[in-house]
Amino acid sequence: MIEKPLTPEDVDFVTTLHGEERISFVVLLQPRGDQADVLLRAIDDVAMGELKEAVREGEEPEGSEAREPAEIGLEYSLRALRQAGSEAVGQVIEDHPLDRLTTVVEEAGADEVIVLTAPHYVEEFFHRDWASRARHKVGVPVLKLFAHSE
C-alpha cells in the first residue's frame, strides 16, 4: 500500500527485503485527498521541519483531481517493480482502502503487507495510520516502511 509513486530507492528496498526470493506485488495506491486531513498533513510537515510543504498542503490535488496523477504514479511504480524482476499488478483505490486491502490479501493469498508511506506523526501517535489499522484487519504480518523522498 503506497500513497505516492515509488522512487528507485523504494523499489530497490522492497524488492530486496527477502534476499533472492522471487516476490510478486499487488500495489494499492490511494491518491491524496480525503484519506488524510489537510491540517494533519500540515502538522506532519511542520514536525519534519518542512515548512514550505506545510504551506503548500492546500494546493495538492484532492478527490477526483488526484485520480489521474495517481494512475500515472501507479503505472510508473508497477513498471519499476517489473524492471527490477518482480511480478506486479495494482490499482488506485479511493474508498475504504483497508477494506480493499483485506480483500486483496485474501484473494492473492498474501504472506505479508508492506505499507510504504511518508511519516505521519500525528496519525502514528494515535495509531490511526494505515499500518496500525491494517494490523487489526488483514490477518498477515504488516511491515511499515518509510518511503524515500523524490
Side-chain angles (χ1 to χ4, degrees):
M1 187 169 227
I2 61 175
E3 61 187 359
K4 65 178 189 139
L6 298 175
T7 65
E9 293 86 0
D10 293 331
V11 171
D12 185 52
F13 194 36
V14 298
T15 57
T16 60
L17 278 172
H18 298 286
E20 297 297 317
E21 184 179 336
R22 186 161 168 84
I23 301 172
S24 61
F25 294 91
V26 178
V27 180
L28 302 179
L29 185 147
Q30 184 176 31
R32 289 188 70 161
D34 297 337
Q35 83 272 15
D37 183 79
V38 173
L39 177 60
L40 290 178
R41 293 194 314 251
I43 291 170
D44 285 337
D45 291 336
V46 170
M48 293 173 45
E50 297 175 357
L51 300 178
K52 289 180 183 179
E53 292 297 320
V55 172
R56 286 190 285 236
E57 282 298 339
E59 299 170 8
E60 289 289 327
E62 294 186 4
S64 61
E65 292 178 7
R67 177 81 188 192
E68 185 177 344
E71 289 174 350
I72 293 167
L74 176 64
E75 281 306 312
Y76 172 85
S77 299
L78 295 175
R79 193 173 333 115
L81 289 167
R82 291 176 191 136
Q83 288 173 345
S86 297
E87 294 178 26
V89 296
Q91 61 187 271
V92 173
I93 51 172
E94 295 180 72
D95 298 319
H96 311 291
L98 294 175
D99 291 341
R100 183 65 191 132
L101 177 62
T102 301
T103 302
V104 167
V105 166
E106 292 169 1
E107 290 174 352
D111 296 324
E112 72 181 348
V113 167
I114 299 172
V115 176
L116 186 71
T117 68
H120 298 292
Y121 297 115
V122 175
E123 292 172 348
E124 290 168 19
F125 180 79
F126 292 107
H127 301 284
R128 300 302 302 152
D129 60 298
W130 285 345
S132 296
R133 292 171 35 207
R135 286 186 181 103
H136 300 287
K137 283 192 83 123
V138 298
V140 297
V142 175
L143 178 61
K144 178 172 180 137
L145 302 174
F146 290 124
H148 291 79
S149 297
E150 292 98 283

